[in-house]
Amino acid sequence: MEKFPDKKTLQAAFERVQQYAHRTPVLTSDTMNRLTGAKLFFKCENFQKGGAFKFRGAVNSVFTLTDEESARGVATHSSGNHAQAVALAARMRGIPAVIVMPESAPQVKVNAVKGYGAEVIMCPSTLKDREATIAKVVDERGCEFIHPSNDLRVIAGQATAAMELLQDVEGVDILAAPVGGGGLLSGTSLAARYFSSSLQVTGCEPARADDAYRSYYGGTLVMPEHPDTIADGLKTSLGSNTFPIIRENVGAIVLVEEDEIIEAMRLVWERMKIVIEPSSAVPVAALLNKKIDAAGKRVGIILSGGNVDLGKLPW
Amino acid sequence: MEKFPDKKTLQAAFERVQQYAHRTPVLTSDTMNRLTGAKLFFKCENFQKGGAFKFRGAVNSVFTLTDEESARGVATHSSGNHAQAVALAARMRGIPAVIVMPESAPQVKVNAVKGYGAEVIMCPSTLKDREATIAKVVDERGCEFIHPSNDLRVIAGQATAAMELLQDVEGVDILAAPVGGGGLLSGTSLAARYFSSSLQVTGCEPARADDAYRSYYGGTLVMPEHPDTIADGLKTSLGSNTFPIIRENVGAIVLVEEDEIIEAMRLVWERMKIVIEPSSAVPVAALLNKKIDAAGKRVGIILSGGNVDLGKLPW
């Protein structure tokens, strides 16, 4: 276990990230307040570069490297937002990037990564194959591996979304974020620890991919068992860094059902007129269905991203 | 022909509207800039109360009334955004509202209007029936008729979207707005006339509802002939006030095809992560398809609204 990011590390990440990322807006909605009985503040990472918060962690990681390290390039494995985020961040620094993607990845995502100039290596879709392939790439080329969630540089980068929110909104009582690999939730919980006094951070997870919930309450890191949720960004598991950070700094993890996620996602599109992906709808679903005791409270919500296939909507 | 709103009238509308309406954000998008070769500033009226710019005109009209006038209530005919906007504005002032709606109006819209506490009177779907019904209501009850687009109070209210945009963005060269009944385009063109020095306003219209185009270039007000466009908010015709205001203050009207509207709408959803309705996509389509000579220019676009049926998307 490495040393967790401290307050100075988060502040340095903040300085770094704000040079490259959008400072995303915080939206409010009378309708959503009325439906939840709380005062909600939506941090819109769907408006972030690459369409998701993932760009923060990627750009923090890529620009933390020394010139010597960066010359050998970066590598990661991801089928989704992290792949595009690392490719884009590498292009911004002008260094090579290798992205290992599962053969099951949609062609449009593969093309997007290639469009940023990254090299794509396809591999079978199992986690084992992914890890073997990335290990080989890193070994052969000496490039820097940037894990999608467990990398401490990534965690510090993801913390900057909550840091911005806490600068923009006073008196937040609760911060709600989705949890998959735990990079966002870890970063959010560290931001709350260092930059607020009495804030509870709540992780929100699909019941059909409840490994973080079971790990958090069971006290032992467990892997997902056949995760099967529309929130495809949340199928991954906690890691050696994210698990202890979350155990120590998060106040609760709550679960939501698939129909609750879809309903919350549609409601946000209809009433707030913004496009969010299913993972973003998970904390919204938790609030709408009173899985979080938020009555009368001021609640920040990290809307993690807005990358959806408009041709395949779940309603 | 009544006297057109002057600069002071627009300033008074601005003071009035800002007490009740959202000051909507102006968004930018690197992708959209790259695709159009221009620098675009999107005025997001899809985030306005009621989901469309219509609330501005409605609230300006309702709050312009004297106490005596307002006590008798307001009335309008509309199947869409104007109906909800007037109902909501009337509720805010605490006065009665009667909304004449065509029998073809979707039940969800009828329910929304009733939800704001307005009385709904259904009538056959022809313009003639609508006008006869509203005339009867106004005659019998002595209430104030608020025409959806031709009312000068409505026009002054709609102008406030462009006024905000011109305050927020310096050096705008072109302002592009959709045109249906012409309330928004009239107001936008008056805002440009009074509050900018060298700005061209361009109206954007579906080719399949090209009556404003034909009226503007032909010099005679013509009615739509079987308008048939996905941009259902733009099927209405210019009126006795909007036509001369547009003739005098608008620099051009351009036409776009249906597939261009749908493509532009989808692109904005995908890349900007915001929900816009087809009418809003009309000026975006005009820019993407080079119907407006905007290369290298700074272009404000009024995104008119975001009220769409998510269960019936055109792709």
Side-chain angles (χ1 to χ4, degrees):
Chain A
M1 201 169 82
E2 302 173 65
K3 197 172 171 296
F4 296 155
D6 59 13
K7 188 170 181 175
K8 279 191 178 164
T9 304
L10 260 61
Q11 282 166 326
F14 189 87
E15 297 299 320
R16 207 173 284 122
V17 169
Q18 73 170 2
Q19 292 177 59
Y20 304 99
H22 290 311
R23 182 161 187 136
T24 53
V26 176
L27 297 185
T28 60
S29 162
D30 292 344
T31 302
M32 301 302 290
N33 289 348
R34 187 167 44 75
L35 291 173
T36 58
K39 182 104 179 91
L40 307 183
F41 300 91
F42 296 88
K43 178 66 174 169
C44 290
E45 290 299 295
N46 53 332
F47 295 157
Q48 189 49 266
K49 285 182 186 165
F53 74 92
K54 290 283 188 181
F55 181 66
R56 296 177 182 271
V59 86
N60 189 52
S61 302
V62 163
F63 284 89
T64 301
L65 299 174
T66 64
D67 285 347
E68 195 190 337
E69 289 166 339
S70 79
R72 293 190 295 270
V74 290
T76 196
H77 60 82
S78 163
S79 60
N81 293 333
H82 181 64
Q84 286 185 56
V86 169
L88 176 56
R91 189 180 70 175
M92 283 180 167
R93 183 145 184 191
I95 61 173
V98 182
I99 315 290
V100 173
M101 300 185 80
E103 286 157 2
S104 59
Q107 193 59 40
V108 58
K109 294 205 169 179
V110 176
N111 291 344
V113 169
K114 287 182 177 169
Y116 289 131
E119 179 185 347
V120 172
I121 298 179
M122 306 303 291
C123 77
S125 295
T126 68
L127 183 63
K128 201 176 153 189
D129 285 303
R130 278 198 200 192
E131 287 177 346
T133 309
I134 192 79
K136 191 159 171 283
V137 167
V138 170
D139 186 50
E140 284 175 5
R141 311 196 186 191
C143 54
E144 189 74 18
F145 175 47
I146 303 177
H147 188 282
S149 53
N150 202 50
D151 189 303
L152 293 178
R153 298 163 299 192
V154 167
I155 292 169
Q158 317 306 28
T160 62
M163 290 167 74
E164 289 177 4
L165 176 64
L166 292 173
Q167 285 183 354
D168 291 347
V169 182
E170 285 186 7
V172 174
D173 300 305
I174 298 171
L175 259 181
V179 55
L184 178 65
L185 185 60
S186 294
T188 302
S189 71
L190 291 174
R193 173 176 173 159
Y194 300 137
F195 303 101
S196 84
S197 49
S198 61
L199 172 54
Q200 162 148 322
V201 174
T202 300
C204 305
E205 192 175 38
R208 283 164 73 169
D210 66 349
D211 54 292
Y213 177 88
R214 290 184 292 114
S215 300
Y216 178 82
Y217 288 108
T220 313
L221 179 58
V222 298
M223 293 293 116
E225 291 167 2
H226 315 297
D228 175 26
T229 170
I230 186 175
D232 54 357
L234 307 183
K235 288 181 184 175
T236 47
S237 66
L238 300 182
S240 58
N241 291 318
T242 54
F243 177 52
I245 292 175
I246 287 170
R247 278 277 287 180
E248 190 171 322
N249 300 293
V250 167
I253 293 184
V254 298
L255 299 176
V256 295
E257 303 299 329
E258 295 296 297
D259 58 343
E260 294 171 337
I261 298 170
I262 295 169
E263 205 179 322
M265 177 175 160
R266 182 167 181 161
L267 191 71
V268 167
W269 288 40
E270 278 181 350
R271 306 308 291 253
M272 297 184 65
K273 314 296 181 192
I274 58 174
V275 172
I276 61 168
E277 59 194 33
S279 299
S280 298
V282 169
V284 183
L287 285 154
L288 285 167
N289 295 285
K290 317 290 181 201
K291 311 289 171 83
I292 300 175
D293 180 18
K297 301 226 169 106
R298 292 165 71 82
V299 183
I301 298 170
I302 315 281
L303 293 178
S304 50
N307 293 329
V308 286
D309 182 344
L310 292 176
K312 284 187 199 167
L313 296 175
W315 49 70
Chain B
M1 201 170 81
E2 302 174 63
K3 195 170 172 300
F4 295 155
D6 59 12
K7 189 171 180 175
K8 278 191 178 165
T9 304
L10 260 59
Q11 283 166 326
F14 189 87
E15 297 298 319
R16 206 173 284 121
V17 169
Q18 73 171 1
Q19 292 176 61
Y20 305 99
H22 290 311
R23 181 159 188 138
T24 53
V26 176
L27 296 185
T28 60
S29 162
D30 292 344
T31 301
M32 302 302 289
N33 289 347
R34 187 167 44 76
L35 291 173
T36 58
K39 183 105 179 91
L40 307 182
F41 300 91
F42 296 88
K43 178 67 174 169
C44 289
E45 289 300 296
N46 52 332
F47 295 156
Q48 190 49 267
K49 284 181 186 167
F53 74 92
K54 290 282 187 182
F55 181 67
R56 295 178 182 271
V59 87
N60 189 52
S61 303
V62 164
F63 284 89
T64 301
L65 299 174
T66 64
D67 286 346
E68 194 189 339
E69 289 166 339
S70 79
R72 293 189 297 270
V74 291
T76 196
H77 60 81
S78 163
S79 61
N81 293 334
H82 181 65
Q84 286 185 56
V86 169
L88 176 56
R91 189 180 70 175
M92 283 180 168
R93 184 147 184 189
I95 62 173
V98 182
I99 315 289
V100 173
M101 300 186 81
E103 286 156 1
S104 58
Q107 193 58 40
V108 58
K109 294 205 170 181
V110 176
N111 291 345
V113 169
K114 287 181 177 169
Y116 289 130
E119 178 184 349
V120 172
I121 297 179
M122 305 304 291
C123 78
S125 294
T126 69
L127 183 62
K128 201 175 155 189
D129 284 303
R130 276 197 200 194
E131 287 177 346
T133 309
I134 191 79
K136 190 159 171 281
V137 168
V138 170
D139 186 50
E140 285 175 3
R141 311 196 187 190
C143 54
E144 190 73 18
F145 175 47
I146 303 176
H147 187 281
S149 54
N150 202 50
D151 189 302
L152 292 178
R153 299 163 297 193
V154 167
I155 291 168
Q158 317 306 29
T160 61
M163 291 167 75
E164 289 177 3
L165 177 63
L166 293 173
Q167 286 182 355
D168 290 346
V169 182
E170 285 186 6
V172 174
D173 300 305
I174 299 171
L175 259 182
V179 54
L184 178 65
L185 185 60
S186 294
T188 301
S189 71
L190 290 173
R193 172 176 174 159
Y194 301 137
F195 302 101
S196 84
S197 49
S198 61
L199 172 55
Q200 162 148 322
V201 174
T202 300
C204 305
E205 192 175 37
R208 284 166 72 169
D210 65 350
D211 55 291
Y213 177 90
R214 290 185 291 115
S215 300
Y216 178 82
Y217 287 109
T220 313
L221 179 58
V222 299
M223 292 294 117
E225 291 166 2
H226 315 295
D228 175 24
T229 170
I230 186 175
D232 55 356
L234 307 183
K235 289 181 183 174
T236 48
S237 66
L238 300 182
S240 59
N241 291 318
T242 55
F243 178 52
I245 293 175
I246 286 170
R247 278 279 286 180
E248 191 172 321
N249 299 294
V250 167
I253 294 183
V254 298
L255 299 176
V256 294
E257 303 299 330
E258 294 298 297
D259 58 343
E260 294 170 336
I261 298 170
I262 295 169
E263 204 179 324
M265 178 174 161
R266 182 167 180 161
L267 191 70
V268 167
W269 288 41
E270 277 181 349
R271 306 308 293 252
M272 297 185 65
K273 315 296 181 190
I274 59 175
V275 172
I276 62 167
E277 58 194 35
S279 299
S280 298
V282 169
V284 183
L287 285 154
L288 286 167
N289 295 284
K290 317 289 181 200
K291 311 289 172 85
I292 300 175
D293 180 17
K297 302 226 171 104
R298 291 165 71 83
V299 183
I301 298 169
I302 315 280
L303 292 179
S304 50
N307 293 330
V308 286
D309 183 344
L310 292 177
K312 284 187 199 166
L313 295 176
W315 49 72

